[in-house]
Amino acid sequence: MSVDQRPEIENLLAEARTFPPDPAFAAQANAKPEIYDEAAADPVAFWERLARERISWFEPFTTTLEWQLPFAKWFTGGKLNVAYECVDRQVERGLGDKVAYHWIGEPGDTRTLTYRDLQREVSKAANALLELGVRTGDRVAIYMPMIPELPIAMLACARIGAPHTVVFGGFSAEALSGRINDCGAKVLITADGGWRRGKKVGLKHHADEAVSDTPTIEKVIVVDRFGEGVHMVPRRDLWWHDIVDRQSDDCPPVPVDSEHMLYLLYTSGTTAKPKGILHTSAGYLLGTSFSHEMIFDLKPDDVYWCAADIGWVTGHSYIVYGPLKNGTTGILYEGAPDTPTWDRWWQIVEEYKVSILYTAPTAIRAFMKQGPQYPEAHDLASLRLLGSVGEPINPEAWLWYHEHVGRGKAPIVDTWWQTETGMILITPLPGVTTTKPGSATFPFPGVEADVVDGNGESVPLGGGGYLVLKRPWPAMLRGIYGDDERYRQTYWSRFDGLYFAGDGAKRDEDGYFWLLGRVDDVMNIAGHRISTTEVESALVDHRAVAEAAVVGVKDDVTGQAIYGFVILKAGQEPTDALAVQLREHVAYVIGPIARPKYLMFVPDLPKTRSGKIMRRLLRDIAEGRTLGDTTTLADATVVETIRDNTGVAEE
Ligand code: WTA
């Protein structure tokens, strides 16, 4: 076979285990198989029906979809208010005393906010913003730890139609000022700091440094988390409790157009300037809340915990907007999973009787590494559904999650989506879909996805290629703030008329989608395009391995060779014999072509702050090059540790 006849990405790893829905779960499930049919018959009519039924319009919309590729407008002519939908509507329908959030601080302090509390606090915070001169359309930057004032601030912005941009609290002053300057925010809401791993992590000094460089910021509101005082700049800085507490709790929500900007969320590229992903109001609210109800099978009595940080899109869509719109009781936890010990999450699940848990594979693998004794020490019987998001979940991690957290019963929803997509787009529907560990299964109703080759031609079942989306969906990004051309270039130029997600994917013979990671992460070994995800899954499949990352490094013979970085489970010894075994294991599971040429045992892996492995950096390490920019690292010392580690085992 010549190189150009080879498939875009090889399909090598076969996972045969299947998990059909439990009939008892199916009988009570929110999702019914018929919604696929209704949506497929007429996707626009499907979304139109849902929008009419689910949103309390101040003015009804006149047009469901205006689609001028690549620009979509949904539900035009309509007016709504997102904060009203998420908060006031719940109070009006009798849920004022229902808990919206159980908040748990890392040191153990707690707060409970009902929907009525939220309505009062959001209204006061919105009045404070109005007092500071923030008007509908003005941008507000938010840089905070995971404390209740974070969602309150977001909803306060939404109440007056001021788009927010939340910058994750772990980002640097430079990252913050860059984002503020890109969108020209007028006010910054921050805090003195928050707790992380038993330590106080200050934010205010980063905020000060950032604001020294942001001419548009007029005022800074500071939440007092520690009660110890911080440096306050006269005439610019105000304590939250000084300005918010004295406001009236009456602040009428401002009706805005369906397409009014709700927020910007910046996604960082490692080299390029961050992109301000633009989300608007009605379509986003509909897409996130409807998907939340179906995919998480949300019932009135559920206690739902999405363990992400609100600073990421997962938190925006599935901690704040989707769940609140559904009147959900949610958990907000400020801190780290290992503080004070590795069973902190399981304690929380037991104490609050959490019934739905949504987290990332990186967290699951971290728990796997510590061993099942932590979840096993707690009563997790309340858990009835589990979710995963953020990267491909290796079958072994899926099975561990299933067995040790879900007690072999709770269905798992592996949900694929992006900051850009706003809502989950590829996922099982619990009670309907037979799952396969490691597969995100099928497109959500009303969503059309495909796997295409380099020419944009659909790849037959069984093959791999590029994941694309073929029609607009309500929660999709509306563009990149201030840069239509970049929007077109980044997402719509690779394949004519198709949204290119940047991910590789394959479909098996049954049509299941398997995500293969970012296409930049595809290796080329002797002309075979092999996905890093599959080799990593094969390594994690070995009983000694907790986590693995592989990259392709230059090789004189094969073009690229596979270099694996491996974290062992607690108690496993990193020996040469084990390295040999692991290589053979990959060759056995996938095939000799995928046998890693190099292997390094490492204590940790460099990750972005949202937990994605930084393969670019690993490639630098593997090829012995000088390191690129490391500022988006979760822990910069990891790189040093890896570099100092001399235990490279070469084939
Ligand atoms: C990856 C997070 C495989 C993917 C919501 C995507 C996944 C990127 C999955 C977006 C999944 C997310 N299986 N890969 N279930 N979920 N990804 O913008 O590469 O932080 O393009 O949004 O994460 O990351 P983002």
Side-chain angles (χ1 to χ4, degrees):
M1 190 162 47
S2 83
V3 172
D4 2 319
Q5 285 167 323
R6 291 218 169 105
E8 292 299 331
I9 302 176
E10 304 276 341
N11 173 8
L12 297 171
L13 190 68
E15 174 55 60
R17 292 162 283 201
T18 59
F19 292 80
D22 170 1
F25 192 103
Q28 60 84 61
N30 290 348
K32 301 289 175 213
E34 299 79 60
I35 69 167
Y36 286 110
D37 306 329
E38 184 198 345
D42 187 342
V44 176
F46 171 71
W47 292 117
E48 173 176 355
R49 172 179 73 77
L50 293 169
R52 296 218 188 274
E53 283 171 14
R54 299 174 69 97
I55 293 177
S56 321
W57 296 95
F58 285 91
E59 270 175 44
F61 61 92
T62 48
T63 309
T64 303
L65 172 64
E66 292 172 43
W67 178 225
Q68 287 188 324
L69 194 136
F71 296 98
K73 291 182 181 171
W74 285 88
F75 315 121
T76 42
K79 282 191 191 293
L80 77 164
N81 181 278
V82 172
Y84 169 81
E85 296 286 336
C86 289
V87 179
D88 304 60
R89 268 295 288 145
Q90 313 305 357
V91 177
E92 286 170 14
R93 64 189 183 106
L95 300 180
D97 295 326
K98 184 172 180 182
V99 174
Y101 292 124
H102 290 289
W103 175 80
I104 302 149
E106 197 191 72
D109 44 343
T110 59
R111 270 172 76 184
T112 305
L113 282 120
T114 62
Y115 277 92
R116 199 185 316 285
D117 295 334
L118 211 50
Q119 185 184 36
R120 184 185 63 243
E121 297 306 316
V122 168
S123 301
K124 286 179 160 187
N127 278 327
L129 291 173
L130 289 171
E131 183 184 310
L132 297 181
V134 177
R135 296 292 172 260
T136 303
D138 289 344
R139 274 81 60 217
V140 173
I142 300 177
Y143 181 60
M144 280 170 120
M146 281 284 282
I147 54 177
E149 286 81 0
L150 170 52
I152 291 169
M154 293 161 75
L155 292 160
C157 289
R159 197 170 190 85
I160 60 173
H164 55 71
T165 186
V166 178
V167 179
F168 171 58
F171 276 131
S172 64
E174 208 183 316
L176 176 60
S177 63
R179 285 155 172 78
I180 291 175
N181 287 332
D182 188 74
C183 70
K186 202 165 172 178
V187 166
L188 169 66
I189 308 178
T190 185
D192 50 356
W195 288 89
R196 189 80 193 165
R197 296 220 154 78
K199 290 203 193 86
K200 288 178 189 157
V201 180
L203 280 183
K204 179 62 166 51
H205 60 285
H206 293 310
D208 286 341
E209 197 185 324
V211 173
S212 68
D213 207 16
T214 57
T216 54
I217 293 287
E218 295 169 9
K219 297 284 178 193
V220 178
I221 303 178
V222 187
V223 176
D224 188 10
R225 167 88 179 99
F226 301 141
E228 295 172 347
V230 282
H231 175 67
M232 298 288 275
V233 175
R235 287 180 299 280
R236 188 197 73 184
D237 297 355
L238 301 134
W239 286 108
W240 173 286
H241 53 261
D242 285 338
I243 181 152
V244 174
D245 288 3
R246 63 178 165 75
Q247 300 291 331
S248 150
D249 58 11
D250 180 29
C251 178
V254 176
V256 298
D257 289 338
S258 291
E259 283 297 332
H260 185 74
M261 191 193 336
L262 177 63
Y263 70 79
L264 292 170
L265 189 58
Y266 286 83
T267 62
S268 39
T270 23
T271 47
K273 168 171 170 261
K275 304 185 281 280
I277 303 301
L278 195 161
H279 284 291
T280 60
S281 301
Y284 176 79
L285 186 68
L286 177 71
T288 54
S289 60
F290 178 65
S291 58
H292 179 253
E293 188 177 320
M294 292 297 128
I295 297 164
F296 297 103
D297 192 48
L298 195 92
K299 300 289 195 293
D301 293 335
D302 274 314
V303 178
Y304 162 86
W305 185 10
C306 168
D309 192 288
I310 291 178
W312 307 116
V313 75
T314 305
H316 282 56
S317 298
Y318 296 106
I319 297 178
V320 182
Y321 293 112
L324 293 179
K325 166 73 183 135
N326 291 332
T328 308
T329 293
I331 300 281
L332 281 183
Y333 170 56
E334 177 186 30
D338 59 348
T339 308
T341 53
W342 274 102
D343 62 355
R344 184 69 189 266
W345 279 26
W346 317 124
Q347 258 168 21
I348 294 174
V349 168
E350 184 171 5
E351 182 178 343
Y352 290 87
K353 301 214 171 357
V354 172
S355 54
I356 303 168
L357 178 67
Y358 188 30
T359 185
T362 178
I364 299 164
R365 290 190 302 261
F367 290 124
M368 248 172 101
K369 180 180 176 191
Q370 300 306 317
Q373 67 276 20
Y374 293 103
E376 272 161 15
H378 293 273
D379 178 6
L380 306 184
S382 56
L383 283 174
R384 64 178 199 92
L385 182 76
L386 304 175
S388 170
V389 62
E391 32 165 350
I393 179 166
N394 328 94
E396 283 317 298
W398 194 104
L399 290 163
W400 193 94
Y401 197 28
H402 175 72
E403 184 180 340
H404 297 292
V405 182
R407 305 289 153 119
K409 279 190 0 222
I412 295 181
V413 288
D414 172 8
T415 63
W416 177 88
W417 59 298
Q418 308 177 293
T419 304
E420 291 86 344
T421 69
M423 62 185 277
I424 296 167
L425 293 189
I426 303 183
T427 177
L429 290 182
V432 176
T433 312
T434 292
T435 53
K436 300 186 184 183
S439 168
T441 73
F442 302 107
F444 189 75
V447 173
E448 199 186 341
D450 200 359
V451 175
V452 298
D453 65 17
N455 300 318
E457 302 292 334
S458 190
V459 172
L461 295 188
Y466 305 101
L467 180 67
V468 295
L469 300 165
K470 302 180 82 165
R471 65 167 100 239
W473 61 100
M476 70 188 277
L477 77 166
R478 300 304 196 258
I480 294 174
Y481 188 69
D483 201 342
D484 286 351
E485 191 40 41
R486 192 172 175 203
Y487 169 60
R488 221 184 267 279
Q489 275 298 326
T490 311
Y491 304 105
W492 300 91
S493 66
R494 180 74 179 80
F495 303 109
D496 201 26
L498 302 174
Y499 172 91
F500 173 45
D503 283 351
K506 67 183 186 191
R507 270 177 311 179
D508 64 19
E509 301 297 341
D510 303 325
Y512 282 66
F513 284 75
W514 298 75
L515 277 301
L516 298 174
R518 308 292 299 166
V519 288
D520 330 332
D521 295 339
V522 171
M523 303 172 290
N524 195 324
I525 315 297
H528 295 271
R529 305 203 58 197
I530 296 176
S531 111
T532 51
T533 298
E534 292 198 324
V535 181
E536 286 161 8
S537 286
L539 283 166
V540 177
D541 182 67
H542 190 279
R543 58 174 170 72
V545 176
E547 177 146 28
V550 312
V551 295
V553 293
K554 279 197 203 77
D555 189 275
D556 290 345
V557 180
T558 53
Q560 280 193 314
I562 300 178
Y563 198 123
F565 295 82
V566 170
I567 302 179
L568 294 176
K569 285 186 182 155
Q572 295 289 335
E573 284 300 315
T575 60
D576 286 349
L578 181 59
V580 171
Q581 243 188 51
L582 292 180
R583 281 212 211 83
E584 289 317 310
H585 186 73
V586 175
Y588 172 74
V589 176
I590 298 187
I593 183 78
R595 180 192 287 116
K597 182 164 182 187
Y598 310 95
L599 211 79
M600 187 192 276
F601 294 111
V602 291
D604 213 341
L605 287 168
K607 292 195 181 146
T608 63
R609 294 188 190 271
S610 63
K612 295 195 204 319
I613 293 167
M614 298 184 73
R615 290 200 179 68
R616 191 176 306 221
L617 216 66
L618 289 175
R619 248 185 322 263
D620 286 347
I621 295 166
E623 293 186 342
R625 280 203 301 260
T626 47
L627 290 175
D629 179 6
T630 63
T631 53
T632 51
L633 265 183
D635 174 4
T637 58
V638 167
V639 184
E640 294 306 322
T641 325
I642 293 175
R643 251 207 311 199
D644 294 345
N645 191 313
T646 47
V648 189
E650 198 175 332
E651 192 177 44

